[in-house]
Amino acid sequence: MIRFDHASKRYPPGMNALADVSFEVDAGELVTVGGHSGAGKSTLLKLIAAIERPTGGAVLVHGQNVGSLKRSAIPYLRRNLGVVFQDQKLLFDRNAFENVMLPLTISGFPPVEARRRVQAALDKVGLLERQKAMPIMLSGGEQQRLAIARAVVGRPNLLLADEPTAHLDADTATDVARIFRDFQAVGVTVLIATYDNSLFPTARRLVLDHGRLQ
Amino acid sequence: MSVWLSQHGDAFRTAVRRLAASPVNTLLSLLAIGVALALPAGGQMLVANALQLARNSAPTPQISLFLQLDADKRAGQEIQARLKDHPGVKVFRFIPRDEALTRMKSREGLADVIEALPRNPFPDAITVLPEDDRPEAMEKLAAEFRKLPKVEQVQLDSDWARRLAALLKIGRTGVVLLALLLGVGLVAITFNTIRLQVMTRRAEIELSRLLGATDAFIRRPFHYFGILLGLAGGIVAWLIVAAATWWLAAPIGELAQLYSLDFALRPLAALDSVLLLIAAAGLGWLGASLSLRQHLTDG
């Protein structure tokens, strides 16, 4: 599903965010990427979603070398991924339903089927009743669950999440972690960057230290 | 196909929503575009009306020959014989000086004046309709007629029409110049409006990219935005011109009546109106495209 082959990412001033990272994730696995802040967790996820390109080595997703994808091919790669961003990136000028609808609109989903899917996704994260609410009205945990609903609405077989439980209280964090485990249970490959491994006891762990895998 | 349609429908609705979301800005942009376009459109309306006026009041171009006052009947007949065989003459009409006198007497106000004259002041005259009514050909023909014996004066009736045509040509060039200048202005207005739109929607654009939106998907609503802004501005311009026409119609009608001209100010022609709207929409699109190329390249 995912293969890093001596991948590295160096930012212009000569800072190595990732150095010579190699690992594989099989389909259906739940994997966490741990490590101190600034260890390169976010960079690793960004390489998979082609938000950044590796400066060395190769990153393969579904057998495709992401680093050498043409610019015009990147949108189609991203449509097959669900990403929960560290800062969630919810749009505050539209309600919960419309936020979740956005990926389907982008991929040109038929409207009627899309509406059904948005409701299913909202139901899955327990927000169906709040579909008309604006994000600002939602609690931190609800906002995070909304971001998850948006990530999974396109039914991707690979789900990436960057610190999805940060800034959440213990109960809410457990709740959110359970949602990710549920997706893994139905066959979705899940890769989570988190400093808190205890929330995902069944996950395989990768740990980064100053850009290198331990 | 239906996906394509629904995506365009979505982009169109998004553009309308964005226009409606900031009504004051939209209104100001529309007014700016409308006023800018109303100038060349109004100019075109005036030129078209002047052309219409010229066409209505200029009879078919003809050449008038006036014979010398002392020319006798024989001289007149000789000239008529020559005209009959001339290949450049389509038809001609001989107007004897007596007929000219009676015709003038029948005119209101002139009868007394003519009555007071000791003798008939009018010469025999011949009006010639040429085979070829292009100005150069008529000029040549007139020069030829001037050389005929007993011909006092040859007058080209197309002279003033040609002067008017030359004037109108200048007017038309002015309209084109104005249209070019203000077209650039319209592009600048949409360029800037779209730039502001892109800036305020940065988060949405960035997110859409991360969720797999193609460049076309992101650009589409902005293109519609530009087209709609231009089109609506064009409609405002049309309304301004229509209002101006309506306002001017009465005083111009009065003036035309004073000059006994059969003339009424006409609104912008249908074709010109359609062209105005198409040009406005096109320029809006162009402004949006240029702006997007400038402000939407990163990511």
Side-chain angles (χ1 to χ4, degrees):
Chain A
M1 177 65 73
I2 301 173
R3 190 153 75 90
F4 273 57
D5 195 3
H6 302 287
S8 53
K9 175 71 187 178
R10 172 196 286 266
Y11 286 108
M15 187 199 121
N16 277 320
L18 283 180
D20 197 27
V21 172
S22 296
F23 69 92
E24 270 185 65
V25 175
D26 291 330
E29 265 195 293
L30 169 62
V31 177
T32 59
V33 183
H36 60 92
S37 161
K41 304 189 292 282
S42 293
T43 304
L44 189 145
L45 294 186
K46 282 178 181 165
L47 289 180
I48 299 172
I51 298 167
E52 303 277 5
R53 289 178 189 254
T55 45
V59 175
L60 288 94
V61 177
H62 297 298
Q64 258 184 326
N65 188 339
V66 175
S68 62
L69 272 185
K70 270 191 292 182
R71 198 179 123 79
S72 59
I74 290 174
Y76 303 97
L77 165 85
R78 290 183 182 161
R79 288 178 198 183
N80 289 323
L81 305 175
V83 184
V84 180
F85 303 98
Q86 188 167 17
D87 55 354
Q88 298 170 344
K89 296 191 190 300
L90 298 173
L91 294 178
F92 285 84
D93 60 345
R94 34 184 109 184
N95 65 30
F97 182 93
E98 290 161 341
N99 265 283
V100 179
M101 187 71 167
L102 186 61
L104 299 183
T105 310
I106 285 171
S107 54
F109 227 78
V112 178
E113 167 73 4
R115 236 163 269 138
R116 223 174 45 73
R117 276 208 182 187
V118 171
Q119 280 171 339
L122 284 169
D123 193 27
K124 179 75 203 146
V125 299
L127 282 178
L128 189 55
E129 258 96 84
R130 309 226 52 190
Q131 56 173 308
K132 291 269 192 282
M134 299 307 272
I136 200 76
M137 308 285 290
L138 301 176
S139 69
E142 285 173 326
Q143 288 187 4
Q144 190 57 272
R145 284 187 278 152
L146 183 59
I148 295 170
R150 190 185 61 200
V152 300
V153 72
R155 304 199 182 156
N157 48 22
L158 174 57
L159 183 56
L160 309 175
D162 196 354
E163 301 284 8
T165 55
H167 318 301
L168 299 181
D169 61 68
D171 283 353
T172 321
T174 314
D175 202 31
V176 166
R178 182 190 51 76
I179 297 174
F180 283 106
R181 287 202 303 275
D182 287 350
F183 279 109
Q184 192 225 348
V186 294
V188 178
T189 312
V190 183
L191 188 64
I192 300 171
T194 179
Y195 66 96
D196 190 359
N197 272 318
S198 63
L199 285 166
F200 306 95
T202 59
R204 176 156 73 96
R205 289 174 194 185
L206 300 172
V207 179
L208 284 168
D209 184 26
H210 293 97
R212 289 178 185 278
L213 267 188
Q214 283 189 333
Chain B
M1 184 65 189
S2 70
V3 168
W4 184 86
L5 262 183
S6 87
Q7 290 219 327
H8 273 268
D10 279 340
F12 182 79
R13 277 190 293 276
T14 305
V16 173
R17 250 203 320 274
R18 288 178 188 173
L19 278 170
S22 49
V24 177
N25 281 339
T26 303
L27 206 69
L28 286 175
S29 300
L30 287 186
L31 274 178
I33 294 171
V35 169
L37 286 178
L39 288 173
Q44 169 60 23
M45 183 271 284
L46 290 176
V47 168
N49 270 295
L51 261 178
Q52 184 67 29
L53 177 65
R55 214 169 288 143
N56 274 354
S57 25
T60 36
Q62 58 178 24
I63 305 170
S64 305
L65 285 72
F66 299 101
L67 304 193
Q68 287 164 7
L69 275 173
D70 61 352
D72 55 12
K73 222 177 197 134
R74 219 173 48 83
Q77 277 164 351
E78 206 169 285
I79 291 174
Q80 288 187 56
R82 284 208 196 189
L83 290 179
K84 199 172 274 171
D85 296 334
H86 199 291
V89 175
K90 198 187 205 171
V91 238
F92 68 90
R93 199 166 88 80
F94 181 75
I95 305 163
R97 44 191 311 204
D98 300 338
E99 188 187 324
L101 187 71
T102 16
R103 214 197 287 174
M104 283 302 169
K105 268 190 191 162
S106 67
R107 288 255 181 123
E108 189 131 3
L110 279 179
D112 296 340
V113 180
I114 290 167
E115 213 61 73
L117 293 172
R119 58 192 183 90
N120 183 356
F122 299 108
D124 287 330
I126 303 170
T127 57
V128 174
L129 217 64
E131 203 60 74
D132 185 350
D133 62 4
R134 280 174 307 176
E136 319 86 74
M138 286 181 67
E139 201 66 67
K140 230 178 101 194
L141 208 56
E144 202 179 309
F145 291 159
R146 275 190 196 105
K147 289 187 199 124
L148 291 172
K150 293 289 183 191
V151 169
E152 172 80 39
Q153 202 193 347
V154 175
Q155 200 177 311
L156 266 177
D157 287 357
S158 61
D159 270 3
W160 77 272
R162 282 168 57 200
R163 283 186 204 117
L164 183 66
L167 263 174
L168 286 179
K169 209 175 199 175
I170 295 174
R172 184 148 273 182
T173 313
V175 167
V176 170
L177 210 69
L178 213 57
L180 284 177
L181 276 175
L182 294 165
V184 172
L186 193 159
V187 170
I189 293 171
T190 31
F191 183 93
N192 195 46
T193 313
I194 297 287
R195 185 180 69 88
L196 294 174
Q197 281 282 322
V198 169
M199 272 161 56
T200 50
R201 312 217 160 254
R202 229 176 234 307
E204 186 182 333
I205 292 167
E206 187 202 352
L207 175 66
S208 298
R209 280 225 169 90
L210 291 174
L211 294 177
T214 56
D215 282 349
F217 179 89
I218 290 170
R219 280 158 197 258
R220 216 174 277 138
F222 292 109
H223 279 141
Y224 275 112
F225 188 96
I227 291 172
L228 279 172
L229 199 63
L231 188 66
I235 292 171
V236 171
W238 190 90
L239 289 173
I240 291 175
V241 173
T245 310
W246 176 80
W247 205 21
L248 281 172
I252 284 185
E254 236 168 85
L255 188 69
Q257 211 164 27
L258 288 175
Y259 280 95
S260 350
L261 287 169
D262 177 26
F263 176 73
L265 196 64
R266 293 177 183 209
L268 204 57
L271 182 66
D272 287 339
S273 304
V274 170
L275 280 179
L276 167 69
L277 295 185
I278 290 176
L283 289 171
W285 175 84
L286 182 66
S289 294
L290 292 174
S291 190
L292 290 176
R293 188 177 298 174
Q294 184 81 23
H295 306 291
L296 214 61
T297 43
D298 47 291

